Amino acid sequence: RTTSWDIGVGNEAGGGTTANNTTVTIADGGRISAGRTFFLGAGAATGHLVTVTGANSVLEARTTNGWEPSIVLGGTGNTLRIEDQGQATSTGYGLVGGTSNQAFVEGGSWTASAIRTGGTDTLLSVSQNGSLYGGDVRIGDGGSGSTLNLTAGTVTSNGHFYVGSGSGTGAKVNVAGPGALLKANLYDIHVGYDGVGNTMTVSGGGTATSPRLTYVGETASATGNRLIVTGPGSLYRNGGNQPWAEFIYVGNATAGD
């Protein structure tokens, strides 16, 4: 299916369904292409599932502005699964928001102008050699309790990587296992830019890298933020592209990180 406007599953945008527990599957090289935004859940919508599975199966959203939302999870308890070489692509940013919504990239790929999670208790999981790519990646961009679990695969931010940006609190990023690689390609990693109680943990041989600076608690409002590197073979590395860009700042503007 291709449309020049929005597509909604579990919301009223673009003529979407309003019943709960809807299932949409894109498989065997199928494609759903929204001309602007693909919505999965909004308002009171709950229990909806969209699965993209198999080689050449694609979920696509084609907004003309890279800073508009393209693939959006809202509502409560809705799930996006990108599996077994399936692909999600969006010219705008991807957002896992709402309450207790989940996105799983399991052997597939999700590429967007940026990737953001927010809302309450949202989850983004990358495993089975999955790939997540955004211009910026922001886990806990407002809201509370957002989590990124990376166990086998790659998460790439072509710009900055944030754990707890804006007023985000209690965000967690877990990079676990020898097949887990998180990298900021061009800029910095921020653990607690403005927010409180955000944590990045690298464990079990996982790797996280930044070519420039690392901040653990950056602004005056950022407190109680943590960077943890634990276990044999686990690596956190920054710096290298400029002589001045080789520092890790803990509590850059405040105490308590």
Side-chain angles (χ1 to χ4, degrees), residues 59 61 71 82 87-92 94 109-115 131-134:
L59 170 62
I71 295 177
I82 308 164
Q87 303 170 49
T89 64
S90 52
T91 53
S109 63
W110 188 358
T111 301
S113 69
I115 299 287
S131 173
L132 183 75
Y133 177 93

Side-chain angles (χ1 to χ4, degrees), residues 26-32 53-58:
I26 307 168
D28 299 323
R31 176 184 294 263
I32 288 180
T53 183
N56 301 314
S57 301
V58 178

Side-chain angles (χ1 to χ4, degrees), residues 70-184:
S70 280
I71 295 177
V72 178
L73 277 71
T76 300
N78 301 297
T79 302
L80 172 64
R81 307 191 74 96
I82 308 164
E83 306 172 342
D84 191 23
Q85 301 181 63
Q87 303 170 49
T89 64
S90 52
T91 53
Y93 67 83
L95 172 63
V96 184
T99 301
S100 301
N101 292 312
Q102 303 177 96
F104 297 90
V105 183
E106 299 174 326
S109 63
W110 188 358
T111 301
S113 69
I115 299 287
R116 303 179 185 180
T117 71
T120 303
D121 297 331
T122 53
L123 172 66
L124 178 56
S125 175
V126 180
S127 63
Q128 301 177 31
N129 295 316
S131 173
L132 183 75
Y133 177 93
D136 276 354
V137 177
R138 298 172 180 251
I139 306 302
D141 188 29
S144 63
S146 287
T147 299
L148 167 64
N149 288 331
L150 170 59
T151 54
T154 303
V155 171
T156 303
S157 173
N158 203 45
H160 294 268
F161 185 93
Y162 296 88
V163 188
S165 61
S167 59
T169 63
K172 296 180 177 64
V173 170
N174 302 308
V175 183
L181 172 62
L182 185 151
K183 57 182 178 178

